[in-house]
Amino acid sequence: MLSAVKRMTELELSGKRVVIREDLNAPIRDGEITSDKRLRAALRTIQFAVERDARVILLSHLGRPAEGASDGAFSLEPVADRLSQLLTSPVMFVKDWLGGIEVEPGSVTLCENVRFETGEKANDEVLARRMAALCEIFVMDAFATAHRSQASTCGIARYAPVACAGPLLIRELDALSKVLENPARPLVAVIGGAKVSSKLSVLSALAGKVDQLIVGGGIANTLLAATGIDVGRSLIEPGRLDYCKSLLAGKFGAASIPLPTDVVVANGLERDTHGTIKLTRDLTNDDMIFDIGPETAAGYCDYIDRAGTILWNGPMGVFEHPEFVHGTRRMAEAIAAGKAFSVAGGGDTLAAVEQFGVGEAISYISTGGGAFLDFIEGKELPAVAVLKERA
Ligand code: ADP
Ligand code: MG
């Protein structure tokens, strides 16, 4: 499939205005970047273009600001500073860039947050054409946003004179395709977290592909509720109970879906709150589930130990809180210790991986969350589809 796209590394870049869409959406607290992982991931692509004397223009989003105005809290300016350090050469930063900017060959300019521009999210054609007019070559390199049809990911690729894939995007698509093409069995998907509605939708596609579906977080809660268990005030998606019943009945595929038999409950998430382990059949309408219990974790870890391939997205519980960290920690450690080829993706999943110090032991860390899920579900990523059309 990747043979069908143009590659940045094959093009003549010297002297050309090259717009590269990266994912430089770094977490920022009080103006300080708290993790520069995403910036480091993009470095090789940027350096490649600089070394070939391209006039490099970087586009990225940061956070979820309201469109139509700039908002200092979501400015990419701190990212430009950090990129300058990482590249050991100055990265210019421009707030007003849509009208066109001057860039010298072999230098790098970062444009302000694309999400300040009205029409970015809706993939507005006028905006996309203005972005495209900045460049002679457009490089899509941001896997984590490739599942979104937006002006800076898709529209610009349609209207740029040349549109191609960057090396980071290609590496990511290659790695994930290899895992999915001919995975060592059993293939186990571990899905947890709080984006319940979108993640539940992925399960029907996964049920026909994987051997086991291991669930935690709000996804597990909703499936438990669908079996008639009273999950009290736990996070669930109440509109999807019938869908969950079909899933558990095997309507979408034969994957086994073992459900939690015990959980950790509490009244809330205050710092001094205490978690209580309960069997799921003993839950009452006042309970809130914040983690899987030890018996469930042990059972889940047996599947992990036997797996040939593991796809992991989403924590098992509220791992940010010490009372509810155990389920996610045990799974992370089992995935790290096991012999299976393991792939992890998702913002909070990667935060958990980092917190438990197991990053080195995971076979492949994806930069994508939603894009990672869409890809393993078998969906065509819109930003990749455009690159194929343009090739
Ligand atoms: P990812 O970013 O890895 O895709 P999500 O964003 O879907 O994952 O979910 C991560 C969040 O889910 C974490 O902040 C965690 O605290 C929360 N979470 C996990 N289990 C529960 C639960 N049972 N109830 C409420 N929140 C949960
Ligand atoms: Mg998240």
Side-chain angles (χ1 to χ4, degrees), residues 195 199 346-349:
K195 283 180 239 144
K199 292 189 181 187
D348 294 288
T349 307

Side-chain angles (χ1 to χ4, degrees), residues 139-378:
V139 181
M140 176 61 184
D141 203 36
F143 174 76
T145 58
H147 63 310
R148 297 202 175 103
S149 260
Q150 299 182 336
S152 71
T153 57
C154 279
I156 183 173
R158 193 165 298 289
Y159 306 116
V162 173
C164 65
L168 178 60
L169 176 69
I170 288 184
R171 218 183 317 144
E172 184 106 34
L173 292 170
D174 266 345
L176 294 181
S177 322
K178 252 182 229 138
V179 181
L180 293 179
E181 242 159 52
N182 195 10
R185 300 272 173 178
L187 172 57
V188 177
V190 179
I191 308 288
K195 283 180 239 144
V196 186
S197 170
S198 63
K199 292 189 181 187
L200 276 173
S201 304
V202 177
L203 298 189
S204 56
L206 289 181
K209 293 195 167 86
V210 306
D211 300 296
Q212 271 103 36
L213 266 175
I214 303 286
V215 290
I219 293 93
N221 297 347
T222 309
L223 287 163
L224 285 171
T227 68
I229 284 173
D230 184 355
V231 296
R233 295 182 292 136
S234 305
L235 171 69
I236 68 162
E237 187 57 58
R240 303 300 292 281
L241 295 179
D242 284 335
Y243 165 87
C244 287
K245 281 181 200 161
S246 303
L247 189 71
L248 292 169
K251 294 238 167 83
F252 304 111
S256 65
I257 311 177
L259 290 182
T261 50
D262 63 344
V263 289
V264 184
V265 300
N267 288 321
L269 285 171
E270 294 72 32
R271 225 44 221 174
D272 57 356
T273 208
H274 283 289
T276 307
I277 297 165
K278 269 197 175 184
L279 294 177
T280 48
R281 62 166 181 268
D282 295 334
L283 289 168
T284 59
N285 61 15
D286 203 32
D287 287 324
M288 276 194 273
I289 302 170
F290 291 127
D291 197 8
I292 55 172
E295 179 183 280
T296 302
Y300 280 5
C301 287
D302 283 342
Y303 286 110
I304 297 298
D305 292 342
R306 287 197 294 267
T309 308
I310 299 163
L311 304 169
W312 177 26
N313 171 268
M316 296 291 99
V318 181
F319 70 97
E320 300 92 339
H321 193 296
E323 287 289 297
F324 313 111
V325 71
H326 305 289
T328 309
R329 180 190 290 279
R330 282 191 65 178
M331 293 295 280
E333 287 173 351
I335 292 170
K339 60 176 187 348
F341 188 89
S342 52
V343 185
D348 294 288
T349 307
L350 297 196
V353 164
E354 211 164 332
Q355 184 175 321
F356 307 139
V358 295
E360 291 292 309
I362 308 268
S363 317
Y364 187 79
I365 303 265
S366 172
T367 60
F372 170 66
L373 279 177
D374 280 3
F375 192 85
I376 62 178
E377 188 185 337

